[in-house]
Amino acid sequence: MSTKNTQTNADAPLPVLLPFRIEPTRLGTPRLAPVHAVLIGAGLALLAGTAWAQADAAQLSPLDVIIKWAPLLLSGFAFNILISMIAMALGTGAGLGVGLGMLSENPLIARVCWSLTQFFRNAPWLVLLFFVMFLVPFQITVFGVRIPLPDWVKATVGFSLPVMANVAEIVRGAVRSVPSTQWEAAESLAFTPRQTMWQIILPQCVKRMLPPWMNLYSLVTMATVQASIVGVSEMLTLTAQVHTAEGGRPELFAPLYGFALFCFFLYCYPIDRFTARLERRFHIR
């Protein structure tokens, strides 16, 4: 009897804890569907319709004013894009050097680069813009040749400073996120530290740096409207001039600035969606 019970117990499955996995909670990120775009357009149309109703019959309607001045306003918007692209190019080049400098084994270089990053990253963009506008001369002389520095050039340099700091932090974080085994494998293959950084580590960092870099570009593009405060003739400045040229009519305020808002939205929203797509493709968390 004892032997039979022992065999029965041996054949029975042991009460072990089976492996399990807790599914992470995924918070849905809101996305703009076509219906949202329709609602936004309807809201702008409602604003334009309200302004149209308030307009005098002898004057141009808000829609006619926008159509009349659209080429000028769009040229100002193209100028915003140009400033943002140049600022991103300058800031990315400088930020790459500063970010790698923070990873330098030389403590002096690392400390200087860290200080530059923290200063320009935590300073208000508008304050930096004012400093550059008033401290940088209107022209410089190089080997007897006078080179003018218009306001838009100085504004571009002012925007490139915070871009440099943010790109430096993006580079530092991306390099730190690469597993240490990559460094050890490169060292075992007799790669120099320079070769390891440029041929092995940085190529792996591209997919980590691209989404935040594109997000930063969207922020810079929207921040270029601050250049209107220092006299740069970009879209917001031209919008104010158009409003003045049309007699400063109150009913034109919402349609004109709503047109500027719509242009920036149409340009920046696809960048945001493409950034999210890259994050999903590269499985960046």
Side-chain angles (χ1 to χ4, degrees), residues 44 155 172 191 200 212 225 240 280 285:
L44 293 177
R172 185 199 64 81
F191 280 86
I200 298 177
V225 297
R280 292 192 300 268
R285 295 175 174 85

Side-chain angles (χ1 to χ4, degrees), residues 66-67 97 132 138 149 177 215 218 226 260 262 270:
I66 292 176
I67 295 175
V132 173
F138 291 97
L149 297 176
S177 66
N215 184 47
S218 296
Q226 298 181 8
F262 191 62

Side-chain angles (χ1 to χ4, degrees), residues 132-163:
V132 173
M133 293 296 296
F134 293 110
L135 294 181
V136 176
F138 291 97
Q139 64 180 14
I140 58 176
T141 303
V142 180
F143 299 111
V145 180
R146 293 183 177 180
I147 302 176
L149 297 176
D151 289 341
W152 73 270
V153 172
K154 294 190 287 185
T156 302
V157 174
F159 287 121
S160 66
L161 294 177
V163 171

Side-chain angles (χ1 to χ4, degrees), residues 167-180:
V167 169
E169 192 64 28
I170 291 173
V171 172
R172 185 199 64 81
V175 172
R176 292 295 190 190
S177 66
V178 176
S180 60

Side-chain angles (χ1 to χ4, degrees), residues 192-251:
T192 64
R194 184 183 299 272
Q195 291 174 334
T196 302
M197 178 62 72
W198 290 97
Q199 298 181 18
I200 298 177
I201 302 302
L202 286 182
Q204 298 183 55
C205 294
V206 171
K207 70 177 184 179
R208 292 175 169 85
M209 294 187 295
L210 191 57
W213 184 88
M214 294 179 62
N215 184 47
L216 178 61
Y217 173 68
S218 296
L219 295 177
V220 172
T221 303
M222 291 182 287
T224 54
V225 297
Q226 298 181 8
S228 63
I229 302 177
V230 292
V232 179
S233 296
E234 46 77 55
M235 188 175 192
L236 214 61
T237 304
L238 295 177
T239 301
Q241 293 176 358
V242 168
H243 188 228
T244 303
E246 292 293 331
R249 294 156 52 190
E251 65 271 13

Side-chain angles (χ1 to χ4, degrees), residues 61-134:
S61 66
L63 182 59
D64 291 334
V65 171
I66 292 176
I67 295 175
K68 173 184 176 182
W69 295 101
L72 178 64
L73 296 177
L74 291 177
S75 66
F77 179 63
F79 198 44
N80 285 91
I81 297 176
L82 177 64
I83 293 176
S84 66
M85 288 184 174
I86 298 177
M88 282 299 296
L90 295 175
T92 300
L96 179 61
V98 174
L100 295 178
M102 286 194 292
L103 301 171
S104 175
E105 296 180 356
N106 188 323
L108 178 60
I109 296 177
R111 178 66 63 177
V112 171
C113 292
W114 181 86
S115 301
L116 288 174
T117 301
Q118 296 304 316
F119 177 78
F120 289 114
R121 190 184 179 203
N122 296 289
W125 290 29
L126 187 58
V127 175
L128 294 176
L129 189 61
F130 272 112
F131 267 98
V132 173
M133 293 296 296
F134 293 110

Side-chain angles (χ1 to χ4, degrees), residues 11 14 32 46 91 110 112 129 134 161 163 170 174 182 194 212 261 277 279:
D11 295 335
L14 296 176
L32 288 181
L46 180 62
V112 171
L129 189 61
F134 293 110
L161 294 177
V163 171
I170 291 173
Q182 297 293 317
R194 184 183 299 272
L261 182 150
R277 181 179 178 183
E279 290 179 351

